[in-house]
Amino acid sequence: MGMSAQRQERSHGSRMITMKEVAQRAGVSITTVSHVLNKTRFVSDELARRVNQAIEELDYRPHQLAQSLRRGRTQTIAVLVSDIVNPFFPQVVRGAEDSAKEHGYSLILCNTDENPQTESFYVSLMIDRRVDGFIIAPSMAPEASLKSLVDKEIPLVVIDRQMETLSIDQVYSDNINGAYEATKYLLGLGHKRIGLIMELEGIRSFDDRKTGWERALKEYGLSTLSGLVQQAGLEIEGAAEAARYLIEGPPQATAIFATNNLMTLGVLRYMKNHSVSCPRDLSVVGFDDPEWAACFNPSITSVAQQSYEMGYKACDLLVARIQGKTSESRAVQLNCELKIRESCAALEPEGEMERPEAID
């Protein structure tokens, strides 16, 4: 326990210290203490020193709620993410948090589980909590929640998934080009049957990655057969089942492009459980590039997003919006980078590999 806390405990027990007591200790008026705390008027260095010394000695803590009501701001930002289990989002939130701290804000984190009703619930709850603004990674059907914020003129920045139906600030990755480069890399290694595993269609980021995959295949004159695209849902187990179909079933894929890190884990789980060697039997490219991708054996070729920068930039944009420093909506697209590692190999001329027994 520090000396100031010890002094407070001896003199005041658990009672909250008041501004009046700080003023008495410093030998100044309550108004002077208020000006020092809120920086609302010039106070001489000597008086400010006495006030700050009294604050330290008494361990005085200003009433944050009262200060927020006077300012009309709570210095808090709500961050809604669509799936907190996804390793992509912690880095996004970390970036937003670092920016928020620099601007004197704190974050409240909410997880929507891709559920529009949960998203609407948290939006309403955070409005009631008087947060100053929102950073939202939208759910599958976010229009109602986002429009309610726009209609109420509550500052908002959307991340990860591009929204073209509303004029709002946005920060997102160049998903189309990232997926295009990944697929083009596999095509350059001789692969023609490249399976795609995505969570769900209708989610903008995954739809864009599918578009990039299709663009690369079409440039090589290849058909984008429906069987090569598998929707896995939100779980690793679904991705493992999708990998099973692509490898054992009619597509007979020689390579798989997994459109986020959870999908990549599902592919790797299937391969481990069924003794499918990477990259000898199957080449794999992931998306998101979590830290474990470089540590895995073999290390996983992956499309890296600027996840930290996404959160940091989103918070910068939001604070500028809260403070009235901008009027036009802004869209920031972040580049992706293909990190080539050990999980892909050139296909043998005949394009065949040893496979498990085919499924019906």
Side-chain angles (χ1 to χ4, degrees), residues 65-133:
L65 178 58
Q67 287 189 324
S68 296
L69 291 173
R70 284 195 297 270
R71 290 192 301 258
R73 293 179 184 167
T74 61
Q75 300 302 117
T76 55
I77 292 169
V79 179
L80 276 63
V81 299
S82 54
D83 183 8
I84 195 61
V85 175
N86 189 329
F88 167 73
F89 283 113
Q91 279 298 307
V92 175
V93 174
R94 179 59 185 270
E97 182 181 41
D98 286 351
S99 173
K101 285 180 180 177
E102 292 175 9
H103 293 292
Y105 287 78
S106 58
L107 304 184
I108 301 175
L109 179 62
C110 307
N111 176 48
T112 67
D113 277 330
E114 293 287 2
N115 187 313
Q117 287 73 38
T118 303
E119 184 176 67
S120 293
F121 167 78
Y122 278 127
V123 166
S124 297
L125 179 64
M126 292 299 105
I127 290 174
D128 290 343
R129 294 285 181 89
R130 299 294 191 269
V131 297
D132 296 327

Side-chain angles (χ1 to χ4, degrees), residues 162 170-177 306 331-335:
Q162 188 177 0
Q170 307 181 51
V171 185
Y172 51 87
S173 296
D174 187 354
N175 289 295
I176 293 177
N177 192 62
Q306 299 182 60
V332 178
Q333 180 174 269
L334 301 174
N335 292 329

